[in-house]
Amino acid sequence: MKARTAIYPGTFDPITNGHVSIITRALKVFDKIVVAILNNPNKVPLFTLEERLHMIRHVLKGVRHVEVDAFEGLLVDYVIEKNTNIIVRGLRALSDFEYEFQMALMNRKLNREVQSVFLMTDYKWFYTSSTIIKEAARFGGDVSGLVPASVCARLKEKFGF
Ligand code: PNS
């Protein structure tokens, strides 16, 4: 049987335990996961692309069948470049649904061969997001348990705690 690779795209600014959970679960469905960080020149992230690549590689060290990469431009083009046709995304609360639906439909319009697959997030991470975690960490809030320990340390460093 042909090995199935899925692309797990995102901003990952920074990677959270919710992301890690989706990656772990996606590995139970697919043979290989490519965690693909969007390099978006129009957005100023908290962590640079290099920092995010490094943080994710560190967090996933020892996890087999995972590649961490960056991409620019259209996701569907990147998916084809990686010789696959599967995008995997996590779905949290209802609020994610509309955005994900829009993206999936646009990707489908751009390339009908590419399929989007959604995994429901674990209830523990239902309401967490990189944005809300950064917001709490910025003012010294304790975000341990929501992000991997190494990411927690980097957030403290960034915000001077
Ligand atoms: O973690 P995010 O910010 O929700 O991830 C969004 C991402 C990177 C998956 C999305 O913005 C994306 O795929 N961008 C690449 C540009 C593209 O292909 N756009 C057309 C589909 S909306």
Side-chain angles (χ1 to χ4, degrees):
M1 214 168 71
K2 210 174 140 227
R4 284 266 184 205
T5 297
I7 308 298
Y8 181 43
T11 306
F12 303 107
D13 186 36
I15 186 165
T16 68
N17 283 345
H19 293 131
V20 176
S21 164
I22 295 290
I23 294 164
T24 311
R25 290 172 51 213
L27 279 167
K28 294 185 194 296
V29 181
F30 302 105
D31 301 306
K32 181 182 169 184
I33 301 298
V34 179
V35 180
I37 310 172
L38 173 66
N39 185 16
N40 185 351
N42 299 321
K43 261 196 190 171
V44 183
L46 176 64
F47 293 100
T48 65
L49 177 64
E50 285 65 34
E51 286 175 317
R52 283 176 285 159
L53 278 165
H54 183 268
M55 279 192 288
I56 300 177
R57 286 190 179 130
H58 182 268
V59 166
L60 298 176
K61 202 170 56 191
V63 182
R64 294 172 63 211
H65 310 299
V66 174
E67 180 187 333
V68 184
D69 193 17
F71 75 102
E72 279 177 28
L74 285 181
L75 175 60
V76 288
D77 292 345
Y78 175 77
V79 170
I80 298 299
E81 220 176 88
K82 297 301 275 185
N83 285 317
T84 183
N85 66 340
I86 309 164
I87 296 168
V88 67
R89 291 279 290 173
L91 267 187
R92 289 166 305 185
L94 265 187
S95 50
D96 272 353
F97 186 78
E98 206 165 307
Y99 170 57
E100 293 297 335
F101 206 160
Q102 257 181 1
M103 271 202 308
L105 288 180
M106 177 53 83
N107 285 331
R108 187 161 166 72
K109 181 190 164 15
L110 296 172
N111 188 325
R112 289 188 78 78
E113 290 307 311
V114 174
Q115 304 298 330
S116 297
V117 174
F118 297 92
L119 290 177
M120 300 300 162
T121 198
D122 229 313
Y123 71 95
K124 281 184 277 185
W125 321 116
F126 206 71
Y127 288 111
T128 58
S129 69
S130 300
T131 307
I132 209 87
I133 287 169
K134 276 183 287 192
E135 180 72 9
R138 186 183 303 277
F139 298 107
D142 179 16
V143 295
S144 56
L146 299 178
V147 288
S150 55
V151 174
C152 198
R154 295 289 285 111
L155 279 166
K156 283 185 180 158
E157 243 173 66
K158 267 281 177 209
F159 292 124
F161 287 100

